[in-house]
Amino acid sequence: MMEKPKNWVFSDPRLQDLRQEYAQYTPEDFKVWKILFERQMPNLPKAASQAYLDGIETVAFNADKIANFEELNQILAKTTGWAVQVVPGLIDDDLFFGLLNNRRFPSSTWLRKMSQLDYLEEPDMFHDAFAHMPMLTNQPYVDFLEKLSGIALKHIEDPWAIQLLSRIYWFTIEFGLIKENGELKIYGAGILSSAGETKFSLSNEPVHIPYDVRRILNQEYWKDRFQDKYFVIESYEQLYESLPEIEAVLEEMLGSGK
Ligand SMILES: [Fe+2]
């Protein structure tokens, strides 16, 4: 198969000319953002990773203003060189990993309604922006994300490989915990956008397991309830440094599966 140039994704017709139409946000949208922001933010100084707390200050999110991607992209350009790319909700795996591999974080622009504050079928921009984007200011974290996506693109024709790599994404980017000064903290966006799971993930109810590539690759996850186990990293460098192991164990699992 011919290898595509790395930046193929930018001319992909599925992205069309999608932008955040900021003027289209309604008073209800602003109210939803504010309620969610004010409900979750007070929990975070104690619960979130320092990288997230530093990040949310860098990106300057606040309760009264829905995140503005144009302003955000100017800030990210100066910190890690990443940017947010507007996508039409859930997207195909090749586009998803293709964007990440080009340092573009895919995000929706719609906000949940007042009637859906606690339950969502798919991630809205409160999740995508509030929970993910502050972490895009952390260099080893984004470098990990870029390279992990590069591994996924190599295997994009193989749904089983993508499923295995999704477990890594799931238990780190979405549901990862980190140990900081001996205490468990959250960096996973799936937890950070849920007040309930923020409390639950740090409690004694679930199991906390030291980051273990082989174990994660063998670990199924569920999407419709809290996880019963969370994997704990020691640092963001640890994620980055685990990339060769991810690739090696993946190859081993794919080889033995045939
Ligand atoms: Fe997410």
Side-chain angles (χ1 to χ4, degrees), residues 176-197:
L177 299 180
I178 185 168
K179 195 157 255 186
E180 288 177 352
N181 302 320
E183 284 184 62
L184 286 178
K185 303 284 179 178
I186 303 161
Y187 72 94
I191 311 176
L192 289 169
S193 55
S194 156
E197 194 154 2

mmCIF file with all atom_site columns, all heavy atoms in Angstrom, residues 176-197:
data_model
loop_
_atom_site.group_PDB
_atom_site.id
_atom_site.type_symbol
_atom_site.label_atom_id
_atom_site.label_alt_id
_atom_site.label_comp_id
_atom_site.label_asym_id
_atom_site.label_entity_id
_atom_site.label_seq_id
_atom_site.pdbx_PDB_ins_code
_atom_site.Cartn_x
_atom_site.Cartn_y
_atom_site.Cartn_z
_atom_site.occupancy
_atom_site.B_iso_or_equiv
_atom_site.pdbx_formal_charge
_atom_site.auth_seq_id
_atom_site.auth_comp_id
_atom_site.auth_asym_id
_atom_site.auth_atom_id
_atom_site.pdbx_PDB_model_num
ATOM 1   N N   . GLY A 1 176 ? -7.168  8.079  32.647 1.00 0.00 ? 176 GLY A N   1
ATOM 2   C CA  . GLY A 1 176 ? -5.901  7.905  33.344 1.00 0.00 ? 176 GLY A CA  1
ATOM 3   C C   . GLY A 1 176 ? -5.818  8.654  34.662 1.00 0.00 ? 176 GLY A C   1
ATOM 4   O O   . GLY A 1 176 ? -6.359  9.745  34.827 1.00 0.00 ? 176 GLY A O   1
ATOM 5   N N   . LEU A 1 177 ? -5.094  8.027  35.600 1.00 0.00 ? 177 LEU A N   1
ATOM 6   C CA  . LEU A 1 177 ? -4.726  8.683  36.855 1.00 0.00 ? 177 LEU A CA  1
ATOM 7   C C   . LEU A 1 177 ? -3.204  8.778  36.909 1.00 0.00 ? 177 LEU A C   1
ATOM 8   O O   . LEU A 1 177 ? -2.498  8.019  36.246 1.00 0.00 ? 177 LEU A O   1
ATOM 9   C CB  . LEU A 1 177 ? -5.218  7.877  38.065 1.00 0.00 ? 177 LEU A CB  1
ATOM 10  C CG  . LEU A 1 177 ? -6.724  7.650  38.200 1.00 0.00 ? 177 LEU A CG  1
ATOM 11  C CD1 . LEU A 1 177 ? -7.018  6.820  39.465 1.00 0.00 ? 177 LEU A CD1 1
ATOM 12  C CD2 . LEU A 1 177 ? -7.491  8.974  38.272 1.00 0.00 ? 177 LEU A CD2 1
ATOM 13  N N   . ILE A 1 178 ? -2.718  9.717  37.709 1.00 0.00 ? 178 ILE A N   1
ATOM 14  C CA  . ILE A 1 178 ? -1.277  9.906  37.877 1.00 0.00 ? 178 ILE A CA  1
ATOM 15  C C   . ILE A 1 178 ? -0.976  10.042 39.358 1.00 0.00 ? 178 ILE A C   1
ATOM 16  O O   . ILE A 1 178 ? -1.812  10.538 40.123 1.00 0.00 ? 178 ILE A O   1
ATOM 17  C CB  . ILE A 1 178 ? -0.789  11.163 37.095 1.00 0.00 ? 178 ILE A CB  1
ATOM 18  C CG1 . ILE A 1 178 ? 0.739   11.310 37.166 1.00 0.00 ? 178 ILE A CG1 1
ATOM 19  C CG2 . ILE A 1 178 ? -1.485  12.432 37.568 1.00 0.00 ? 178 ILE A CG2 1
ATOM 20  C CD1 . ILE A 1 178 ? 1.309   12.349 36.193 1.00 0.00 ? 178 ILE A CD1 1
ATOM 21  N N   . LYS A 1 179 ? 0.188   9.559  39.764 1.00 0.00 ? 179 LYS A N   1
ATOM 22  C CA  . LYS A 1 179 ? 0.588   9.736  41.156 1.00 0.00 ? 179 LYS A CA  1
ATOM 23  C C   . LYS A 1 179 ? 1.467   10.979 41.245 1.00 0.00 ? 179 LYS A C   1
ATOM 24  O O   . LYS A 1 179 ? 2.481   11.072 40.565 1.00 0.00 ? 179 LYS A O   1
ATOM 25  C CB  . LYS A 1 179 ? 1.341   8.499  41.645 1.00 0.00 ? 179 LYS A CB  1
ATOM 26  C CG  . LYS A 1 179 ? 1.475   8.454  43.139 1.00 0.00 ? 179 LYS A CG  1
ATOM 27  C CD  . LYS A 1 179 ? 1.705   7.039  43.654 1.00 0.00 ? 179 LYS A CD  1
ATOM 28  C CE  . LYS A 1 179 ? 0.436   6.497  44.295 1.00 0.00 ? 179 LYS A CE  1
ATOM 29  N NZ  . LYS A 1 179 ? 0.647   5.191  44.922 1.00 0.00 ? 179 LYS A NZ  1
ATOM 30  N N   . GLU A 1 180 ? 1.028   11.943 42.058 1.00 0.00 ? 180 GLU A N   1
ATOM 31  C CA  . GLU A 1 180 ? 1.800   13.180 42.242 1.00 0.00 ? 180 GLU A CA  1
ATOM 32  C C   . GLU A 1 180 ? 2.023   13.408 43.724 1.00 0.00 ? 180 GLU A C   1
ATOM 33  O O   . GLU A 1 180 ? 1.060   13.496 44.489 1.00 0.00 ? 180 GLU A O   1
ATOM 34  C CB  . GLU A 1 180 ? 1.049   14.378 41.625 1.00 0.00 ? 180 GLU A CB  1
ATOM 35  C CG  . GLU A 1 180 ? 1.069   14.344 40.100 1.00 0.00 ? 180 GLU A CG  1
ATOM 36  C CD  . GLU A 1 180 ? 0.276   15.473 39.434 1.00 0.00 ? 180 GLU A CD  1
ATOM 37  O OE1 . GLU A 1 180 ? -0.437  16.229 40.140 1.00 0.00 ? 180 GLU A OE1 1
ATOM 38  O OE2 . GLU A 1 180 ? 0.356   15.593 38.212 1.00 0.00 ? 180 GLU A OE2 1
ATOM 39  N N   . ASN A 1 181 ? 3.266   13.497 44.122 1.00 0.00 ? 181 ASN A N   1
ATOM 40  C CA  . ASN A 1 181 ? 3.616   13.648 45.543 1.00 0.00 ? 181 ASN A CA  1
ATOM 41  C C   . ASN A 1 181 ? 2.904   12.610 46.407 1.00 0.00 ? 181 ASN A C   1
ATOM 42  O O   . ASN A 1 181 ? 2.352   12.933 47.457 1.00 0.00 ? 181 ASN A O   1
ATOM 43  C CB  . ASN A 1 181 ? 3.286   15.057 46.044 1.00 0.00 ? 181 ASN A CB  1
ATOM 44  C CG  . ASN A 1 181 ? 4.016   16.115 45.238 1.00 0.00 ? 181 ASN A CG  1
ATOM 45  O OD1 . ASN A 1 181 ? 5.186   15.940 44.895 1.00 0.00 ? 181 ASN A OD1 1
ATOM 46  N ND2 . ASN A 1 181 ? 3.320   17.177 44.891 1.00 0.00 ? 181 ASN A ND2 1
ATOM 47  N N   . GLY A 1 182 ? 2.873   11.391 45.914 1.00 0.00 ? 182 GLY A N   1
ATOM 48  C CA  . GLY A 1 182 ? 2.280   10.293 46.685 1.00 0.00 ? 182 GLY A CA  1
ATOM 49  C C   . GLY A 1 182 ? 0.766   10.236 46.656 1.00 0.00 ? 182 GLY A C   1
ATOM 50  O O   . GLY A 1 182 ? 0.159   9.367  47.270 1.00 0.00 ? 182 GLY A O   1
ATOM 51  N N   . GLU A 1 183 ? 0.133   11.169 45.937 1.00 0.00 ? 183 GLU A N   1
ATOM 52  C CA  . GLU A 1 183 ? -1.336  11.173 45.910 1.00 0.00 ? 183 GLU A CA  1
ATOM 53  C C   . GLU A 1 183 ? -1.866  10.902 44.509 1.00 0.00 ? 183 GLU A C   1
ATOM 54  O O   . GLU A 1 183 ? -1.274  11.335 43.526 1.00 0.00 ? 183 GLU A O   1
ATOM 55  C CB  . GLU A 1 183 ? -1.869  12.541 46.348 1.00 0.00 ? 183 GLU A CB  1
ATOM 56  C CG  . GLU A 1 183 ? -1.794  12.776 47.840 1.00 0.00 ? 183 GLU A CG  1
ATOM 57  C CD  . GLU A 1 183 ? -2.428  14.118 48.180 1.00 0.00 ? 183 GLU A CD  1
ATOM 58  O OE1 . GLU A 1 183 ? -3.641  14.277 47.916 1.00 0.00 ? 183 GLU A OE1 1
ATOM 59  O OE2 . GLU A 1 183 ? -1.710  14.996 48.671 1.00 0.00 ? 183 GLU A OE2 1
ATOM 60  N N   . LEU A 1 184 ? -3.004  10.223 44.448 1.00 0.00 ? 184 LEU A N   1
ATOM 61  C CA  . LEU A 1 184 ? -3.637  9.968  43.155 1.00 0.00 ? 184 LEU A CA  1
ATOM 62  C C   . LEU A 1 184 ? -4.300  11.238 42.641 1.00 0.00 ? 184 LEU A C   1
ATOM 63  O O   . LEU A 1 184 ? -5.018  11.922 43.384 1.00 0.00 ? 184 LEU A O   1
ATOM 64  C CB  . LEU A 1 184 ? -4.729  8.904  43.301 1.00 0.00 ? 184 LEU A CB  1
ATOM 65  C CG  . LEU A 1 184 ? -4.287  7.458  43.479 1.00 0.00 ? 184 LEU A CG  1
ATOM 66  C CD1 . LEU A 1 184 ? -5.514  6.577  43.665 1.00 0.00 ? 184 LEU A CD1 1
ATOM 67  C CD2 . LEU A 1 184 ? -3.465  6.996  42.288 1.00 0.00 ? 184 LEU A CD2 1
ATOM 68  N N   . LYS A 1 185 ? -4.051  11.543 41.381 1.00 0.00 ? 185 LYS A N   1
ATOM 69  C CA  . LYS A 1 185 ? -4.692  12.696 40.732 1.00 0.00 ? 185 LYS A CA  1
ATOM 70  C C   . LYS A 1 185 ? -5.202  12.262 39.363 1.00 0.00 ? 185 LYS A C   1
ATOM 71  O O   . LYS A 1 185 ? -4.724  11.285 38.793 1.00 0.00 ? 185 LYS A O   1
ATOM 72  C CB  . LYS A 1 185 ? -3.689  13.838 40.555 1.00 0.00 ? 185 LYS A CB  1
ATOM 73  C CG  . LYS A 1 185 ? -3.039  14.305 41.852 1.00 0.00 ? 185 LYS A CG  1
ATOM 74  C CD  . LYS A 1 185 ? -3.978  15.152 42.673 1.00 0.00 ? 185 LYS A CD  1
ATOM 75  C CE  . LYS A 1 185 ? -3.301  15.573 43.980 1.00 0.00 ? 185 LYS A CE  1
ATOM 76  N NZ  . LYS A 1 185 ? -4.132  16.428 44.793 1.00 0.00 ? 185 LYS A NZ  1
ATOM 77  N N   . ILE A 1 186 ? -6.115  13.049 38.843 1.00 0.00 ? 186 ILE A N   1
ATOM 78  C CA  . ILE A 1 186 ? -6.764  12.694 37.572 1.00 0.00 ? 186 ILE A CA  1
ATOM 79  C C   . ILE A 1 186 ? -6.171  13.499 36.425 1.00 0.00 ? 186 ILE A C   1
ATOM 80  O O   . ILE A 1 186 ? -6.001  14.713 36.543 1.00 0.00 ? 186 ILE A O   1
ATOM 81  C CB  . ILE A 1 186 ? -8.275  13.025 37.654 1.00 0.00 ? 186 ILE A CB  1
ATOM 82  C CG1 . ILE A 1 186 ? -8.920  12.293 38.827 1.00 0.00 ? 186 ILE A CG1 1
ATOM 83  C CG2 . ILE A 1 186 ? -8.968  12.698 36.335 1.00 0.00 ? 186 ILE A CG2 1
ATOM 84  C CD1 . ILE A 1 186 ? -10.249 12.905 39.258 1.00 0.00 ? 186 ILE A CD1 1
ATOM 85  N N   . TYR A 1 187 ? -5.889  12.807 35.322 1.00 0.00 ? 187 TYR A N   1
ATOM 86  C CA  . TYR A 1 187 ? -5.611  13.541 34.084 1.00 0.00 ? 187 TYR A CA  1
ATOM 87  C C   . TYR A 1 187 ? -6.506  13.079 32.935 1.00 0.00 ? 187 TYR A C   1
ATOM 88  O O   . TYR A 1 187 ? -6.543  13.703 31.878 1.00 0.00 ? 187 TYR A O   1
ATOM 89  C CB  . TYR A 1 187 ? -4.128  13.438 33.683 1.00 0.00 ? 187 TYR A CB  1
ATOM 90  C CG  . TYR A 1 187 ? -3.698  12.078 33.161 1.00 0.00 ? 187 TYR A CG  1
ATOM 91  C CD1 . TYR A 1 187 ? -3.703  11.801 31.790 1.00 0.00 ? 187 TYR A CD1 1
ATOM 92  C CD2 . TYR A 1 187 ? -3.308  11.071 34.030 1.00 0.00 ? 187 TYR A CD2 1
ATOM 93  C CE1 . TYR A 1 187 ? -3.312  10.548 31.309 1.00 0.00 ? 187 TYR A CE1 1
ATOM 94  C CE2 . TYR A 1 187 ? -2.922  9.825  33.556 1.00 0.00 ? 187 TYR A CE2 1
ATOM 95  C CZ  . TYR A 1 187 ? -2.923  9.570  32.206 1.00 0.00 ? 187 TYR A CZ  1
ATOM 96  O OH  . TYR A 1 187 ? -2.554  8.333  31.725 1.00 0.00 ? 187 TYR A OH  1
ATOM 97  N N   . GLY A 1 188 ? -7.246  11.992 33.131 1.00 0.00 ? 188 GLY A N   1
ATOM 98  C CA  . GLY A 1 188 ? -8.114  11.460 32.078 1.00 0.00 ? 188 GLY A CA  1
ATOM 99  C C   . GLY A 1 188 ? -9.341  12.347 31.876 1.00 0.00 ? 188 GLY A C   1
ATOM 100 O O   . GLY A 1 188 ? -10.050 12.690 32.830 1.00 0.00 ? 188 GLY A O   1
ATOM 101 N N   . ALA A 1 189 ? -9.587  12.691 30.612 1.00 0.00 ? 189 ALA A N   1
ATOM 102 C CA  . ALA A 1 189 ? -10.657 13.642 30.313 1.00 0.00 ? 189 ALA A CA  1
ATOM 103 C C   . ALA A 1 189 ? -12.052 13.081 30.583 1.00 0.00 ? 189 ALA A C   1
ATOM 104 O O   . ALA A 1 189 ? -12.966 13.826 30.950 1.00 0.00 ? 189 ALA A O   1
ATOM 105 C CB  . ALA A 1 189 ? -10.556 14.093 28.860 1.00 0.00 ? 189 ALA A CB  1
ATOM 106 N N   . GLY A 1 190 ? -12.209 11.778 30.411 1.00 0.00 ? 190 GLY A N   1
ATOM 107 C CA  . GLY A 1 190 ? -13.508 11.168 30.690 1.00 0.00 ? 190 GLY A CA  1
ATOM 108 C C   . GLY A 1 190 ? -13.890 11.320 32.157 1.00 0.00 ? 190 GLY A C   1
ATOM 109 O O   . GLY A 1 190 ? -15.070 11.408 32.499 1.00 0.00 ? 190 GLY A O   1
ATOM 110 N N   . ILE A 1 191 ? -12.886 11.340 33.012 1.00 0.00 ? 191 ILE A N   1
ATOM 111 C CA  . ILE A 1 191 ? -13.154 11.547 34.442 1.00 0.00 ? 191 ILE A CA  1
ATOM 112 C C   . ILE A 1 191 ? -13.329 13.038 34.727 1.00 0.00 ? 191 ILE A C   1
ATOM 113 O O   . ILE A 1 191 ? -14.247 13.442 35.436 1.00 0.00 ? 191 ILE A O   1
ATOM 114 C CB  . ILE A 1 191 ? -12.007 10.993 35.318 1.00 0.00 ? 191 ILE A CB  1
ATOM 115 C CG1 . ILE A 1 191 ? -11.623 9.573  34.919 1.00 0.00 ? 191 ILE A CG1 1
ATOM 116 C CG2 . ILE A 1 191 ? -12.413 11.047 36.791 1.00 0.00 ? 191 ILE A CG2 1
ATOM 117 C CD1 . ILE A 1 191 ? -10.425 9.015  35.690 1.00 0.00 ? 191 ILE A CD1 1
ATOM 118 N N   . LEU A 1 192 ? -12.469 13.861 34.136 1.00 0.00 ? 192 LEU A N   1
ATOM 119 C CA  . LEU A 1 192 ? -12.474 15.297 34.462 1.00 0.00 ? 192 LEU A CA  1
ATOM 120 C C   . LEU A 1 192 ? -13.771 15.990 34.065 1.00 0.00 ? 192 LEU A C   1
ATOM 121 O O   . LEU A 1 192 ? -14.121 17.022 34.617 1.00 0.00 ? 192 LEU A O   1
ATOM 122 C CB  . LEU A 1 192 ? -11.283 16.000 33.786 1.00 0.00 ? 192 LEU A CB  1
ATOM 123 C CG  . LEU A 1 192 ? -9.916  15.654 34.389 1.00 0.00 ? 192 LEU A CG  1
ATOM 124 C CD1 . LEU A 1 192 ? -8.796  16.175 33.494 1.00 0.00 ? 192 LEU A CD1 1
ATOM 125 C CD2 . LEU A 1 192 ? -9.770  16.215 35.799 1.00 0.00 ? 192 LEU A CD2 1
ATOM 126 N N   . SER A 1 193 ? -14.491 15.426 33.083 1.00 0.00 ? 193 SER A N   1
ATOM 127 C CA  . SER A 1 193 ? -15.756 16.070 32.727 1.00 0.00 ? 193 SER A CA  1
ATOM 128 C C   . SER A 1 193 ? -16.940 15.448 33.446 1.00 0.00 ? 193 SER A C   1
ATOM 129 O O   . SER A 1 193 ? -18.079 15.748 33.135 1.00 0.00 ? 193 SER A O   1
ATOM 130 C CB  . SER A 1 193 ? -15.963 16.055 31.202 1.00 0.00 ? 193 SER A CB  1
ATOM 131 O OG  . SER A 1 193 ? -15.886 14.748 30.695 1.00 0.00 ? 193 SER A OG  1
ATOM 132 N N   . SER A 1 194 ? -16.682 14.565 34.411 1.00 0.00 ? 194 SER A N   1
ATOM 133 C CA  . SER A 1 194 ? -17.765 13.950 35.172 1.00 0.00 ? 194 SER A CA  1
ATOM 134 C C   . SER A 1 194 ? -17.540 14.150 36.673 1.00 0.00 ? 194 SER A C   1
ATOM 135 O O   . SER A 1 194 ? -16.593 13.618 37.246 1.00 0.00 ? 194 SER A O   1
ATOM 136 C CB  . SER A 1 194 ? -17.828 12.447 34.861 1.00 0.00 ? 194 SER A CB  1
ATOM 137 O OG  . SER A 1 194 ? -18.449 11.728 35.907 1.00 0.00 ? 194 SER A OG  1
ATOM 138 N N   . ALA A 1 195 ? -18.418 14.941 37.294 1.00 0.00 ? 195 ALA A N   1
ATOM 139 C CA  . ALA A 1 195 ? -18.269 15.187 38.731 1.00 0.00 ? 195 ALA A CA  1
ATOM 140 C C   . ALA A 1 195 ? -18.374 13.871 39.497 1.00 0.00 ? 195 ALA A C   1
ATOM 141 O O   . ALA A 1 195 ? -17.641 13.623 40.455 1.00 0.00 ? 195 ALA A O   1
ATOM 142 C CB  . ALA A 1 195 ? -19.322 16.183 39.203 1.00 0.00 ? 195 ALA A CB  1
ATOM 143 N N   . GLY A 1 196 ? -19.272 12.994 39.070 1.00 0.00 ? 196 GLY A N   1
ATOM 144 C CA  . GLY A 1 196 ? -19.472 11.720 39.757 1.00 0.00 ? 196 GLY A CA  1
ATOM 145 C C   . GLY A 1 196 ? -18.244 10.832 39.680 1.00 0.00 ? 196 GLY A C   1
ATOM 146 O O   . GLY A 1 196 ? -17.803 10.273 40.686 1.00 0.00 ? 196 GLY A O   1
ATOM 147 N N   . GLU A 1 197 ? -17.670 10.723 38.486 1.00 0.00 ? 197 GLU A N   1
ATOM 148 C CA  . GLU A 1 197 ? -16.527 9.825  38.336 1.00 0.00 ? 197 GLU A CA  1
ATOM 149 C C   . GLU A 1 197 ? -15.252 10.424 38.935 1.00 0.00 ? 197 GLU A C   1
ATOM 150 O O   . GLU A 1 197 ? -14.342 9.692  39.326 1.00 0.00 ? 197 GLU A O   1
ATOM 151 C CB  . GLU A 1 197 ? -16.314 9.424  36.861 1.00 0.00 ? 197 GLU A CB  1
ATOM 152 C CG  . GLU A 1 197 ? -15.361 8.241  36.727 1.00 0.00 ? 197 GLU A CG  1
ATOM 153 C CD  . GLU A 1 197 ? -15.552 7.382  35.479 1.00 0.00 ? 197 GLU A CD  1
ATOM 154 O OE1 . GLU A 1 197 ? -16.413 7.713  34.653 1.00 0.00 ? 197 GLU A OE1 1
ATOM 155 O OE2 . GLU A 1 197 ? -14.814 6.380  35.345 1.00 0.00 ? 197 GLU A OE2 1
#
